[in-house]
Amino acid sequence: MPSNPAKLKVIWLQGITCNGNTHSFLNDPALGTLLETIEFIHHPLLPCQKTLKDLVKKVPKSDVLIFEGAYSAPFERAGVEMRTLLPALAHKAKHIISMGSCASFGGIFKENDPEHISGIVFDKENGSGPLKAMQEKVITLSGCPAHPKWLSFVIDMISAGREILVDEFRRPKELYAYLVHNGCLRNEYFEWKVDSERFGTKEGCLFYAQGCQGPYTHGSCNKILWNDVSSKTRSGTPCVGCTEPAFPKRDLFTTKTYMSIPSEMPLGIPKRSYLALAGAAKSFHIKRLEERLIDDHA
Ligand code: SF4
């Protein structure tokens, strides 16, 4: 396949993965537009120039190396251990993207082997992954999976030669400075302490009883919607905090409380402030917020 000099040359390499980020990427409604700006030297599923065996024989230069899945040093691709293959490709890449929470922090796979599985730069919160020495060229796109538009944003910024401002985990601030709580349609229920009664309803907040992690989780899920239409909390499912290094947390869908007060305060909110506001809000009953939004008879 002839190379197009105007397109970014991308290698997509997989560690230990469920393919979730590849599926997310392939489900981007704007995938066609993205593919006009990049071409794959290698992708595990899409048409590309080289097989993994080709990459192993002669490691090529690339504009962007995208790594999906968790890192384990002895894990092999095309007969080569990841401790050799990943640094070799990384040294020849101008930019590196850790795609998804496993590549970023270890994620779900780390649960099986906490000692030996990590992300490529971070091991949970610790910057002790195999590419820590070259982290300046790594962009973290955590999420289980990462939103395909987050990848498009980074690719567009790289194509345009623009600087990407990042947080302490090298996540783009433009995408991760927000909390999932920001933009959630249930904010008014949160403010007035009105619970959601069950999953899948349009009414109520999922924080007080169903363990919603939105007030602790950095991500733009309620700003850049999934499939352009929805998000977990908009569809009535609690946020599970999948963009954070601590993911996966235990006891999902449960809010730990102490004397009916959530044991973990929303990020940055002092307990005294929370209690003062919660006490006042709970003393009012807002009839509109206790009614069904659309179908009162279902
Ligand atoms: S459902 Fe979650 S994200 Fe939405 S307002 Fe309640 S706590 Fe915030």
Side-chain angles (χ1 to χ4, degrees):
M1 193 183 292
S3 178
N4 182 338
K7 293 187 173 186
L8 288 180
K9 310 289 178 287
V10 177
I11 294 174
W12 187 301
L13 179 67
Q14 290 184 319
I16 305 169
T17 181
C18 68
N19 286 319
N21 288 281
T22 285
H23 283 282
S24 174
F25 167 69
L26 294 177
N27 274 297
D28 184 357
L31 179 62
T33 310
L34 178 60
L35 291 178
E36 286 169 13
T37 60
I38 62 173
E39 67 183 17
F40 283 109
I41 298 173
H42 174 76
H43 189 285
L45 298 180
L46 291 174
C48 54
Q49 298 161 2
K50 294 183 189 297
T51 65
L52 255 183
K53 283 190 177 158
D54 296 332
L55 295 192
V56 167
K57 273 190 221 139
K58 187 169 187 300
V59 175
K61 288 183 182 169
S62 63
D63 295 308
V64 185
L65 171 65
I66 299 174
F67 190 80
E68 171 185 16
Y71 172 83
S72 167
F75 182 74
E76 289 185 9
R77 288 285 183 208
V80 179
E81 289 188 342
M82 210 45 83
R83 79 178 94 224
T84 304
L85 182 57
L86 176 62
L89 288 166
H91 277 295
K92 290 206 162 185
K94 289 186 193 147
H95 305 271
I96 301 166
I97 298 173
S98 73
M99 185 72 186
S101 289
C102 293
S104 302
F105 303 122
I108 297 238
F109 288 101
K110 188 172 170 63
E111 299 289 291
N112 290 331
D113 190 356
E115 293 293 308
H116 301 107
I117 287 180
S118 71
I120 58 175
V121 172
F122 297 96
D123 183 358
K124 293 283 189 187
E125 293 87 355
N126 304 314
S128 54
L131 300 189
K132 61 180 184 288
M134 56 180 100
Q135 63 175 284
E136 289 300 311
K137 62 178 178 180
V138 177
I139 295 291
T140 297
L141 290 181
S142 55
C144 190
H147 195 300
K149 285 208 169 14
W150 304 347
L151 178 62
S152 310
F153 167 80
V154 173
I155 294 284
D156 285 348
M157 293 291 276
I158 291 172
S159 289
R162 303 267 305 275
E163 184 188 3
I164 301 172
L165 300 176
V166 295
D167 68 11
E168 75 269 37
F169 297 118
R170 302 207 54 79
R171 299 176 296 193
K173 288 185 176 176
E174 187 70 30
L175 303 171
Y176 292 88
Y178 303 87
L179 297 179
V180 172
H181 185 62
N182 300 140
C184 178
L185 296 181
R186 298 168 190 272
N187 262 286
E188 200 180 18
Y189 296 103
F190 178 88
E191 286 160 17
W192 294 100
K193 315 293 168 218
V194 179
D195 273 346
S196 170
E197 288 170 10
R198 57 185 197 275
F199 284 11
T201 60
K202 296 187 190 314
E203 305 83 6
C205 172
L206 302 150
F207 177 68
Y208 300 104
Q210 298 182 46
C212 184
Q213 298 290 304
Y216 320 115
T217 303
H218 294 89
S220 43
C221 295
N222 276 312
K223 180 171 177 265
I224 302 171
L225 299 178
W226 288 79
N227 293 323
D228 292 342
V229 292
S230 196
S231 69
K232 277 202 182 68
T233 61
R234 286 184 186 215
S235 64
T237 311
C239 165
V240 296
C242 73
T243 57
E244 295 297 332
F247 174 78
K249 284 190 172 175
R250 306 272 170 211
D251 301 323
L252 292 177
F253 312 134
T254 309
T255 303
K256 280 193 201 129
T257 57
Y258 179 67
M259 296 177 71
S260 305
I261 299 161
S263 48
E264 197 179 344
M265 293 292 103
L267 203 63
I269 307 292
K271 196 167 191 173
R272 276 176 61 189
S273 314
Y274 177 87
L275 291 178
L277 286 174
K282 270 194 168 164
S283 66
F284 294 100
H285 281 282
I286 316 267
K287 189 165 177 299
R288 176 174 59 82
L289 296 180
E290 289 166 359
E291 291 172 346
R292 298 292 301 271
L293 272 171
I294 294 175
D295 183 1
D296 221 7
H297 307 291

